[in-house]
Amino acid sequence: MRTTVTCSQQWIRRYHPKPERRITLVALPHAGGSASYFHPLSAALGPHIETLAVQYPGRHDRRHEPPVEDIATLADRVTDALMPWAGPVALFGHSMGATVAYEVARRLEAGGAPPAVLIVSARRAPSAVRDDRFHELDDDALLAEMRVLGGSEDAILLDEELVRLTLPVLRSDFKAVAGYRDTGGEPLTCPISALVGDSDPRVTVDEMHTWARHTEGAFSLRVFGGGHFYLTDHQKALTGLFQTTLERLMH
């Protein structure tokens, strides 16, 4: 049986240890994404905020592991990996990561340690169901979807070897997303902060508003200019937003 520490080391990437941390930000990437996506954010946040970036199986140093095709299983594993980390935790998920973060938040609340805040980005609320089946597309159509979302550099899309490595992981992630359904239950007690680009081709501002139904706490929505990966163009503003939001939660 794996120890809790081993599980944490397998799933968590700690790019910038902060010995003076007062709150931990757990960042969960998008479909096809990896922990390194959050390296710039980890570096930019102040000395009291440490970022733990989640590394899903099937990518980078975990590329030889089969991807997980079920959101609930991902959430179970991430929750287990967070067990060694004491102190207040904030959750941030982008796109698919927002859904995983929501499920992790539910598990943390059930365990008596709710997150300080759930920050969700570019992903409709669990109650806003849409029957997307991108995982059933052929390779050419799936590549076209990647270009629509804009999350990969054109050079990657032109590199046959990189595409070959990326598509199976992306397809598995899309399958996990397509199979997810909210199981209901009580709303979260922690606040939810929602972020979205105003021209996102896969989620509307109204769909982001429906996240308010999933918490008894405060809800806020911030709309940025841009598409699904609006974060790339607003790194400074987002860093400031995270810094301000998390500083308010420090005790």
Side-chain angles (χ1 to χ4, degrees):
M1 179 180 291
R2 293 180 305 166
T3 66
T4 301
V5 172
T6 300
C7 178
S8 184
Q9 291 172 341
Q10 186 177 23
W11 285 81
I12 301 297
R13 300 296 172 267
R14 190 184 183 196
Y15 294 121
H16 303 95
K18 306 284 181 70
E20 299 177 12
R21 80 173 184 273
R22 295 169 59 191
I23 191 167
T24 300
L25 175 65
V26 179
L28 299 105
H30 52 281
S34 63
S36 60
Y37 185 75
F38 299 110
H39 187 278
L41 178 65
S42 174
L45 292 173
H48 300 301
I49 304 170
E50 178 163 342
T51 301
L52 303 181
V54 173
Q55 187 78 299
Y56 305 137
R59 55 219 82 194
H60 289 208
D61 55 330
R62 303 189 70 184
R63 64 188 178 277
H64 298 301
E65 300 176 49
V68 176
E69 298 182 343
D70 177 70
I71 296 293
T73 301
L74 279 173
D76 287 342
R77 301 293 180 267
V78 173
T79 304
D80 289 345
L82 294 178
M83 288 182 62
W85 294 91
V89 168
L91 299 174
F92 169 47
H94 179 66
S95 196
M96 180 185 84
T99 304
V100 180
Y102 166 71
E103 287 294 331
V104 172
R106 294 180 64 180
R107 285 155 175 74
L108 292 176
E109 286 216 348
V117 64
L118 170 62
I119 305 172
V120 292
S121 169
R123 178 68 186 166
R124 59 186 177 274
S127 55
V129 178
R130 189 190 298 159
D131 191 21
D132 291 334
R133 295 183 174 273
F134 296 120
H135 64 290
E136 297 178 356
L137 298 174
D138 62 29
D139 286 356
D140 289 342
L142 196 57
L143 280 170
E145 173 62 16
M146 290 176 69
R147 293 187 178 98
V148 167
L149 295 179
S152 298
E153 299 292 339
D154 289 341
I156 293 177
L157 297 178
L158 293 173
D159 187 311
E160 185 176 346
E161 183 177 357
L162 285 176
V163 167
R164 183 174 59 81
L165 292 172
T166 300
L167 284 183
V169 171
L170 187 66
R171 196 180 298 281
S172 292
D173 287 352
F174 280 154
K175 184 177 181 180
V177 170
Y180 172 76
R181 294 294 182 272
D182 184 20
T183 56
E186 296 298 317
L188 297 172
T189 61
C190 68
I192 294 179
S193 176
L195 312 173
V196 68
D198 60 4
S199 57
D200 192 318
R202 292 293 175 255
V203 59
T204 67
V205 173
D206 285 344
E207 285 175 323
M208 293 301 293
H209 269 294
T210 58
W211 277 102
R213 303 176 188 173
H214 294 274
T215 181
E216 296 175 348
F219 173 78
S220 64
L221 174 64
R222 177 80 176 268
V223 181
F224 293 85
H228 196 66
F229 286 91
Y230 68 90
L231 303 87
T232 303
D233 297 324
H234 298 281
Q235 290 187 18
K236 185 174 181 181
L238 281 163
T239 299
L241 177 63
F242 275 75
Q243 190 75 39
T244 301
T245 299
L246 298 179
E247 281 179 349
R248 279 200 227 103
L249 298 170
M250 294 179 192
H251 300 296

